[in-house]
Amino acid sequence: MRTIWNGSISFGLVNIPIGLALATQRSDISFRTLHRECGTPIKQKRWCPFHEREVEPEELVKGWEVAKGEFVLVEESDLESVALQRSQSIEILRFVELAEVDPVYFDRTYYLAPAAADAQRRPYVLLLRAMQESGMAAVGKFVLWGKENLCLIRAQGDSLLLELLFFAEDVRAKNEIEEAVSTVDVKKAELQLAQQVIDSLVGEWKIEDFENEYRRDLRAMLEAKVAGEEIARPEPVAETPVIDLMEALRGSVADAQEAKQKPAAKKTKASSSGTGSRRKTPARKSA
């Protein structure tokens, strides 16, 4: 596995060699901005509106805005005075119950890869097994790309994962939401119907069951354009009428029950057709 950072996990006198590898990668489709007339990609320029000219890289400096339109210039030497020392170790500060850590603090996930040598893998596996049996996770700090990072190390299957965490000051308070919710009472009948809606949609967690439909349709549209096919324009979406809450809940329960019955009906129909040969539906020709 390709790693972007190599170091170790340290707690007490234990030192575990590890490598940090990306666990997630967006598969979104990206676009370039082109000049419509010639199809040439547009270049972004560093432009100073005061001098009305393009600025060269050596003329640039960082600035911290202390008030609207007022900046303090920050030189590289200023930043060096508070720069963190490069670290090759993730220092574990505390072990906590994984269930206590709110996912709102999760920023980005990395895999922790064990060392290549068999002898150096033993402490990795030891920590993994201990965390699996205890249900605990490790909170630590380390320096990556010149920044101090708070992290959470947890077990997932037979691997250790590292979650970059937001600090407390990075997560916005939700007091306004909680105050607004506290002023509203719900009726018992409404709560029972809402619970029925939830129960009707309960299922197993399988990430493979969920597809990014927009990404799929976007790729299909782009492939159709490359092939020179005409792109069908969608019909305008009608506005959803405002209906009574109880009526909406009852309708949601009915829709969920109907959706559950459809797969069962298809299965019964398929089994009654026997084991004879199936007629293939001819592919529809494109216009």
Side-chain angles (χ1 to χ4, degrees):
M1 178 176 288
R2 182 175 178 271
T3 58
I4 61 170
W5 182 87
N6 293 289
S8 62
I9 301 171
S10 64
F11 63 102
L13 300 177
V14 180
N15 192 278
I16 306 173
I18 51 90
L20 201 65
L22 291 173
T24 58
Q25 183 176 350
R26 288 279 185 183
S27 300
D28 292 333
I29 295 171
S30 60
F31 297 97
R32 296 283 301 276
T33 302
L34 311 179
H35 184 193
R36 182 182 291 275
E37 183 177 338
C38 61
T40 303
I42 296 299
K43 291 184 177 180
Q44 303 294 334
K45 293 185 177 182
R46 299 180 180 91
W47 183 262
C48 176
F50 181 81
H51 289 98
E52 295 185 343
R53 67 176 178 84
E54 189 176 354
V55 179
E56 297 300 325
E58 58 270 15
E59 298 180 81
L60 301 177
V61 65
K62 290 182 174 65
W64 181 51
E65 190 169 16
V66 293
K68 185 67 175 179
E70 295 183 16
F71 298 89
V72 171
L73 299 186
V74 181
E75 305 292 345
E76 291 299 324
S77 57
D78 299 325
L79 295 175
E80 289 173 1
S81 67
V82 294
L84 294 166
Q85 296 296 320
R86 181 177 174 84
S87 171
Q88 292 301 119
S89 177
I90 301 171
E91 181 185 0
I92 293 180
L93 306 173
R94 187 178 303 173
F95 283 92
V96 299
E97 292 189 13
L98 180 58
E100 291 184 356
V101 184
D102 194 313
V104 72
Y105 293 101
F106 290 1
D107 183 10
R108 189 167 190 180
T109 306
Y110 294 87
Y111 291 127
L112 289 178
D118 291 343
Q120 293 181 320
R121 292 181 185 174
R122 188 175 183 82
Y124 179 101
V125 176
L126 180 62
L127 178 61
L128 171 65
R129 298 293 181 233
M131 294 174 76
Q132 287 173 330
E133 293 186 9
S134 64
M136 304 295 281
V139 180
K141 283 185 177 181
F142 72 112
V143 177
L144 179 65
W145 297 317
K147 293 183 179 180
E148 183 180 48
N149 293 275
L150 184 67
C151 67
L152 180 86
I153 298 173
R154 63 186 179 93
Q156 185 198 62
D158 270 346
S159 302
L160 288 177
L161 270 63
L162 181 142
E163 302 280 356
L164 283 188
L165 299 178
F166 290 108
F167 286 92
E169 62 183 331
D170 299 327
V171 178
R172 299 175 64 186
K174 57 183 187 302
N175 298 339
E176 292 183 17
I177 298 174
E178 293 175 344
E179 289 175 4
V181 169
S182 66
T183 61
V184 180
D185 293 324
V186 296
K187 299 176 182 177
K188 186 175 181 180
E190 294 173 338
L191 190 58
Q192 289 175 340
L193 277 173
Q195 189 60 56
Q196 288 183 38
V197 176
I198 293 173
D199 292 341
S200 66
L201 293 172
V202 169
E204 294 183 16
W205 165 249
K206 293 182 179 179
I207 190 62
E208 298 82 7
D209 292 343
F210 306 97
E211 181 184 15
N212 189 322
E213 298 177 12
Y214 170 75
R215 189 184 293 166
R216 177 200 63 197
D217 295 343
L218 179 59
R219 285 198 181 101
M221 181 272 291
L222 293 172
E223 290 170 0
K225 285 186 73 72
V226 172
E229 300 176 10
E230 184 178 353
I231 306 302
R233 304 300 173 188
E235 296 293 332
V237 179
E239 293 186 5
T240 305
V242 179
I243 59 177
D244 179 72
L245 178 58
M246 291 292 286
E247 183 182 345
L249 289 169
R250 292 192 187 99
S252 299
V253 172
D255 289 345
Q257 290 174 345
E258 183 181 353
K260 278 193 172 183
Q261 291 172 357
K262 283 182 179 179
K266 289 181 180 179
K267 186 176 180 180
T268 303
K269 185 177 179 181
S271 60
S272 63
S273 62
T275 58
S277 60
R278 298 180 181 178
R279 185 178 64 182
K280 294 183 178 179
T281 304
R284 182 181 298 175
K285 295 181 179 180
S286 57

